[in-house]
Amino acid sequence: MARRSRHITDRIANKVSETRDTLGYHGQNDVPGPSTNPSTNLIINDIMLRSVGRLARMTVEKAILGKRYGSQFAKDAVENRSLMHTLTAYGVTKVATRSIPGAALVTGGLLVKTLFDRSKSLRASRRAGDKALREQGED
């Protein structure tokens, strides 16, 4: 058994070595960025990517809401979310992106919610959504 695990370990080490050669990695400890510390560069890159993602998401949300409710109301509604709403969206996103069963669970939940909304009359559903957005925009 130990012989087999050593063989597997050697194969993995060879694959890593081949990948390093293919990518042109020759022992440098460089991660592109302004700092000489690779860890700091990863943190900077992470912050930048998250910031750009958040700005893009908020812009799209404002554009979608702005078509129906006007740009000022859309801005207020997007920027005045409650902490509970933000944490819930974050948690659901984490569940959906961590595993296939999580993605299936979230997708199923969204499908059920959509079917529930459609089962109500169109007018009642629209009023409930308008009310929720109004409350969010007033905060």
Side-chain angles (χ1 to χ4, degrees):
M1 190 67 155
R3 190 171 170 176
R4 179 180 163 94
S5 74
R6 182 172 179 193
H7 176 69
I8 292 171
T9 305
D10 289 343
R11 286 181 56 196
I12 292 171
N14 288 339
K15 285 290 183 188
V16 169
S17 179
E18 289 172 14
T19 304
R20 283 182 174 174
D21 292 342
T22 302
L23 295 175
Y25 180 83
H26 300 292
Q28 301 111 344
N29 193 15
D30 292 338
V31 174
S35 175
T36 55
N37 184 334
S39 179
T40 302
N41 288 334
L42 287 176
I43 292 170
I44 291 169
N45 290 333
D46 185 42
I47 291 169
M48 287 175 45
L49 286 172
R50 288 177 190 270
S51 298
V52 168
R54 184 169 193 268
L55 288 172
R57 186 181 65 249
M58 290 179 70
T59 301
V60 169
E61 290 171 349
K62 288 176 190 177
I64 290 170
L65 289 175
K67 291 207 182 252
R68 177 171 176 165
Y69 299 102
S71 61
Q72 185 58 44
F73 180 81
K75 180 181 177 205
D76 292 342
V78 170
E79 292 177 359
N80 291 330
R81 286 200 181 117
S82 69
L83 181 60
M84 184 58 90
H85 184 270
T86 303
L87 291 175
T88 301
Y90 178 77
V92 169
T93 303
K94 276 292 191 188
V95 168
T97 57
R98 291 215 171 195
S99 67
I100 292 174
L105 179 71
V106 170
T107 302
L110 293 173
L111 180 64
V112 167
K113 173 64 171 137
T114 302
L115 292 173
F116 174 75
D117 287 347
R118 287 183 172 261
S119 71
K120 294 167 40 172
S121 73
L122 180 61
R123 187 173 296 164
S125 179
R126 192 171 281 168
R127 270 194 307 243
D130 287 345
K131 181 182 177 190
L133 282 173
R134 250 187 271 108
E135 289 172 359
Q136 193 171 316
E138 291 172 357
D139 290 339

